[in-house]
Amino acid sequence: MFSCTSNTILKKPDNLIPEDQMVDLLTDLLLAVNAETTKNLDLKRKVNYHPLVFEKYNIDSAQFKESNFYYTSRVDDYDVILLKVEERLKALNKKFETIKREEDSIAQAIKNLEKKSIDSINKIKRRRVEPIKENLERK
């Protein structure tokens, strides 16, 4: 009766976002969606970053919707785009994890240095104060 697959290929829009830019755009939009639940530098949550992403690529939401709708009608092409987006996000996550580990190592090294400094200061104080105490006690 009815076919389950869509054979409908939409007409290519005049202002179609190129595939490589669509990968960049979708990557940034996914990051923007996830950023909405994270506190920003002003300690605010639930900030809509979509307009900033559209501004970055000099497009509007209508152009994005039109292009996205066109690409979704071409399932094989859209799968390739989404795979590239996934690869980018994995690479960004790996980079983030590396930076986070480095920052954690630096923070731990600073803590260790601070502790050693405090221990050294305490040792110096003991070396200087204890002989004075002993001399006072003898007198």
Side-chain angles (χ1 to χ4, degrees):
M1 292 179 117
F2 295 101
S3 175
C4 291
T5 60
S6 172
N7 292 329
T8 306
I9 303 284
L10 300 175
K11 180 182 170 279
K12 188 175 185 177
D14 293 334
N15 61 352
L16 180 69
I17 299 167
E19 280 187 42
D20 57 334
Q21 188 178 8
M22 194 68 171
V23 171
D24 296 339
L25 178 60
L26 286 171
T27 301
D28 286 348
L29 282 173
L30 286 170
L31 291 171
V33 166
N34 286 315
E36 289 175 8
T37 59
T38 305
K39 285 184 183 177
N40 64 15
L41 294 175
D42 297 327
L43 302 176
K44 294 180 182 175
R45 289 183 197 257
K46 296 184 181 181
V47 178
N48 181 6
Y49 295 105
H50 289 86
L52 296 174
V53 174
F54 293 144
E55 183 180 313
K56 175 181 177 181
Y57 292 96
N58 199 27
I59 63 168
D60 58 27
S61 60
Q63 183 182 0
F64 169 71
K65 285 178 186 176
E66 216 173 67
S67 294
N68 197 49
F69 195 61
Y70 171 76
Y71 285 122
T72 57
S73 76
R74 304 173 58 87
V75 176
D76 293 338
D77 293 341
Y78 202 63
D79 279 345
V80 171
I81 290 171
L82 292 178
L83 283 173
K84 288 178 182 178
V85 169
E86 182 180 19
E87 288 170 8
R88 283 235 182 114
L89 290 172
K90 284 180 180 178
L92 286 170
N93 192 45
K94 187 175 181 181
K95 186 176 180 179
F96 170 78
E97 287 174 356
T98 300
I99 291 170
K100 182 72 174 131
R101 271 195 308 275
E102 289 171 357
E103 287 176 351
D104 289 348
S105 294
I106 291 169
Q108 188 60 46
I110 289 170
K111 264 186 183 175
N112 292 342
L113 283 173
E114 288 172 349
K115 185 178 180 331
K116 284 181 182 179
S117 295
I118 290 170
D119 290 346
S120 295
I121 290 169
N122 287 337
K123 283 180 186 176
I124 292 170
K125 282 181 182 177
R126 272 185 258 136
R127 275 192 239 142
R128 289 188 178 175
V129 171
E130 286 180 16
I132 295 170
K133 279 184 180 178
E134 288 176 14
N135 281 339
L136 289 174
E137 289 173 0
R138 282 187 218 155
K139 291 181 180 184

